[in-house]
Amino acid sequence: MYNELEGRVAIVTGASTGLGKAIAIRFGEEKMKVVVNYLNKEKEAKEVADLVKRAGGDAVAVQGDVSVEEDVDRLIQSAHEQFGALHVMMNNAGMQKEIPSHEMTLEQWNKVISVNLTGTFLGSTKAIAYMLEHKIKGSVINMSSVHEVVPWPHFVHYASSKGGMKMLSQTLALEYAGKGIRVNNIGPGAINTPINEEKFANEQDRNEVLSMIPMKEIGEPDQVASVAAFLASDQASYVTGTTLFVDGGMTLYPSFQAGKG
Ligand code: NAI
């Protein structure tokens, strides 16, 4: 627990499921006030808001598409109107869809880029504008992926969006470091959330994924949420422009694990 987080205000995008849900609840345990953003799962988002309150924080569920500028404005406005500030912007919403690159349409490419990369641009820059206006030394945390550095056939839009997020966050970190605003990425590996539900239900697919994880375990959402809490906290006050991989070693070239090569 990070005592200084008590009462601070966060927005978590895509928080009705998976990692966003776990992070919102963890922020609740830290007694933070959380805007629980959702795209279309209103019932689930309201349940998450209740869980945040039950954990000791405060929360409101707010609909919004992170790739739509007016919706992101509305999220920031909600934090201001409901809780009077914004200290932590957690850009978590994201999507993926398997398509061989030579079959990918421009529409399919644009969709993933607009949610994952443009959505993170909008959330980050609008949160920073708010923090500057209100003289808040805040923390922007962007949910990237191991695919920020690991190429991923059939997911060229996704890997490109996460690779772009690396430079987006580093550039913003450099630009606003002098104002005390920190910008960092979290890079999860394979975590047990709805985005992977189908893949992990298939034993062969699951074993293939496990073979790429040196720790030989699929990660759990709370193992990512604890890193979000750290990056939000003052314990990370000198950490900016970096990606914290939470991947059981997936980015360590697992094929070299046996010492061959
Ligand atoms: P998830 O599918 O449960 O969560 C994604 C959330 O984003 C959903 O709640 C969805 O409704 C929301 N969303 C999608 N488009 C949106 C939009 N336009 N506006 C607002 N919300 C939108 O899956 P998960 O795993 O929780 O994913 C969260 C983030 O973590 C994503 O950015 C994903 O790329 C990233 N990630 C997940 C990994 C994993 O193994 N689960 C690994 C690496 C990265």
Side-chain angles (χ1 to χ4, degrees):
M1 291 297 138
Y2 303 98
N3 292 339
E4 72 276 9
L5 288 179
E6 182 169 351
R8 290 202 191 154
V9 181
I11 296 172
V12 183
T13 66
S16 54
T17 58
L19 298 183
K21 176 180 177 179
I23 291 167
I25 293 169
R26 174 64 196 254
F27 284 175
E29 288 165 1
E30 300 286 351
K31 302 191 168 48
M32 294 174 73
K33 300 171 179 174
V34 187
V35 174
V36 175
N37 161 251
Y38 65 96
L39 180 63
N40 47 27
K41 296 192 178 80
E42 183 178 7
K43 185 169 156 281
E44 286 86 342
K46 288 191 166 152
E47 280 166 13
V48 172
D50 284 343
L51 289 169
V52 172
K53 289 183 196 166
R54 250 183 277 157
D58 200 355
V60 60
V62 179
Q63 195 280 332
D65 181 333
V66 296
S67 65
V68 175
E69 187 168 13
E70 302 76 61
D71 288 15
V72 179
D73 285 333
R74 191 151 38 79
L75 290 182
I76 308 259
Q77 194 65 23
S78 301
H80 182 71
E81 283 171 5
Q82 297 281 334
F83 303 127
L86 176 61
H87 304 95
V88 177
M89 182 73 200
M90 177 72 238
N91 292 301
N92 163 78
M95 61 175 295
Q96 66 184 46
K97 189 169 172 37
E98 178 168 12
I99 311 164
S101 299
H102 67 282
E103 291 172 8
M104 190 176 290
T105 64
L106 180 59
E107 197 183 343
Q108 287 165 331
W109 163 270
N110 280 340
K111 179 69 190 165
V112 170
I113 295 291
S114 73
V115 174
N116 295 9
L117 184 57
T118 309
T120 304
F121 161 76
L122 287 172
S124 300
T125 53
K126 286 178 183 292
I128 289 170
Y130 181 93
M131 289 169 185
L132 290 173
E133 187 188 342
H134 296 271
K135 300 195 169 27
I136 293 171
K137 294 185 173 180
S139 172
V140 176
I141 309 167
N142 295 328
M143 191 61 77
S144 178
S145 163
V146 290
H147 298 295
E148 181 182 295
V149 291
V150 177
W152 200 13
H154 297 194
F155 292 86
V156 68
H157 45 6
Y158 184 85
S160 302
S161 72
K162 300 297 184 181
M165 281 173 67
K166 176 180 165 71
M167 204 39 76
L168 171 69
S169 295
Q170 288 188 338
T171 300
L172 295 176
L174 185 57
E175 197 165 341
Y176 298 100
K179 301 287 182 191
I181 298 171
R182 298 181 294 106
V183 186
N184 291 290
N185 284 2
I186 298 176
I191 317 289
N192 207 359
T193 71
I195 218 169
N196 290 319
E197 212 163 19
E198 228 175 280
K199 193 183 339 176
F200 294 163
N202 177 311
E203 203 181 331
Q204 193 187 335
D205 287 354
R206 189 185 168 86
N207 286 337
E208 265 175 35
V209 173
L210 281 171
S211 74
M212 292 187 281
I213 307 172
M215 291 182 79
K216 303 295 172 222
E217 277 171 31
I218 304 285
E220 290 302 325
D222 59 353
Q223 293 175 307
V224 179
S226 59
V227 174
F230 166 69
L231 287 174
S233 81
D234 295 351
Q235 295 298 306
S237 59
Y238 207 49
V239 181
T240 197
T242 198
T243 297
L244 290 184
F245 288 105
V246 186
D247 66 352
M250 201 182 220
T251 41
L252 299 177
Y253 294 91
S255 51
F256 280 76
Q257 195 169 15
K260 305 242 163 55

